[in-house]
Amino acid sequence: MKHRVLRKPSRTKGGKKKPRSFNDDDDPFFETDTKRRRKGRYAANDGDDDLESDDELADDGGEEEEPAEPEETADEKRVRMAREHLERIRAIARKVEEEEEGEEDEEERREEREGRRDSLVAEFLQKGQLEESGRVRRFLASRVLSSETLDEFRLLLKHRQSVTSVALAEDDSRGFSASKDGAILHWDVESGKSEKYLWPSEDVLISHYAKAPQNPSIKRSKHVLALAVSSDSRYLASGGLDRHIHLWDTRTREHIQAFHGHKGPVSCLTFRQGTSQLFSGSFDRTIKLWNAEDRTHMDNLFGHQSEILTIDCLRKERLLTAGRDRTMRLWKVPEESQLIFRAPASSLECSCFINDSEFLSGSDDGSIELWSILRKKPTHIIKNAHAPPLYPNNHLHKEVTERMPDGGNTENGICKSESYLSAHSWVSSVAVCRGSDLAATGAGNGVVRIWAIESDNKGIRPLFSCPLVGYINSLAFAKSGRFLLAGVGQEPRLGRWGRVPAARNGVAIHSIRLKEE
């Protein structure tokens, strides 16, 4: 057998090439990077090549396209925003330093000044992080300025029917509101300019995984009971009588997903801060956990024996819920456990976190309760927190004074009259300025009351009251504490058993003036 000579193809007698045997040395897959580069260099220097590469053909066919600029990734955006925030903090520290030192020579103590500036920046950042996480309470109540003339709520936005829920974006610049007629509005806090979310057709809702109504002759209800907006202001969740949670894109105001699974109306919603985890409570006595980013259902929580009315969540995976079974429950989601807090005498209507270890609730007998995670009973109770109004221009003043003996007198904040319409004094909504000692409560008696939560569970003291005609179905504090939003309606949120014709359906805003630190 003859040996095959490399680089010289052997030919048969007919002048044709003999087929080459295929081995590992000829397979380009087994070539090293150095060998590939060498072959590529030889191919580039060879002027006798008859075949053109695909790149050359593409070059001959037209002009080169300029490469598109790469889009900013989420990580790059976070780094950019962190740098901008750091520059703002440094500017504040520089300003504070200049005010302290005045016109001191910069050449003499430059290093010392830079060191102090860096420590000041670190102090600002650490303080902001502690306040954001709720581990340090901001004392805003002591900074609230009381004016001689009573500041009133200003109607920011109108709705056709009673407003059931109000939500604020993380930056306090945009707000969201919903009403009983299914209208969901997205508006600017300063100007009040609003944009409406349009409900898609039934076919589109079904394509977004919504279940068709059991009775085709009955139209799907668009009655909204709850709203929640994610921390990054990207998602808006709504829930109502159709037993679905609807997910909206706040940038395009389009419907993107419908979560089904609840067997009763969805009464409350909340996003876990800093995440896309969404929690929903329903009249079917269950709590469901969803992931808005992945569009998936994650878990179920059971325990309530009656309808769930409100739900709240901070950064930890802990939930606070209140139901008509006269209990408030603190859920530890990872541990799959719950703490049960029982109301002393009445049904709890609303509740919210103050921090991870304290929370506030309102009852249908007009009282508000301060709770601690260390006790199963309230640490402080204020009865008749929304007693008959004391303002002569209030829409209920005449009715109350006619019903009450002694011209509507109160003693120690407790109403003397037993015939007073108790439904108007139900505490229908509570709100706490995040990480602070400032709280607000609303009812149907035409008054929103602002409270100061004292430290170490010492109690709650009233600051001032603001007249607002109608049922206060929802309250939302600005993160800065500079203003308070109220969702007002002629009817209560969860029924039609009462009506205040003088009320104006919409969203009202009240400015709160604070002393500078």
Side-chain angles (χ1 to χ4, degrees), residues 184-207:
I184 301 176
L185 298 182
H186 174 168
W187 32 270
D188 184 79
V189 172
E190 292 185 0
S191 64
K193 184 180 178 182
S194 63
E195 296 173 335
K196 190 175 182 180
Y197 284 66
L198 299 177
W199 285 90
S201 63
E202 184 65 26
D203 294 337
V204 175
L205 285 175
I206 292 175
S207 68

Side-chain angles (χ1 to χ4, degrees), residues 158-165 177-185 196-199 219-226 239-241 248 473 488-489 491-493 496 505-506:
K158 291 182 180 179
H159 276 265
R160 292 181 61 186
Q161 293 189 19
S162 298
V163 175
T164 55
S165 184
S177 57
S179 58
K180 289 186 175 183
D181 59 354
I184 301 176
L185 298 182
K196 190 175 182 180
Y197 284 66
L198 299 177
W199 285 90
K219 193 176 180 181
R220 181 187 297 273
S221 173
K222 292 182 173 61
H223 187 129
V224 179
L225 293 176
L241 296 185
W248 307 79
N473 294 323
V488 193
E491 300 172 349
R493 181 174 80 103
R496 302 190 67 180
N505 299 321

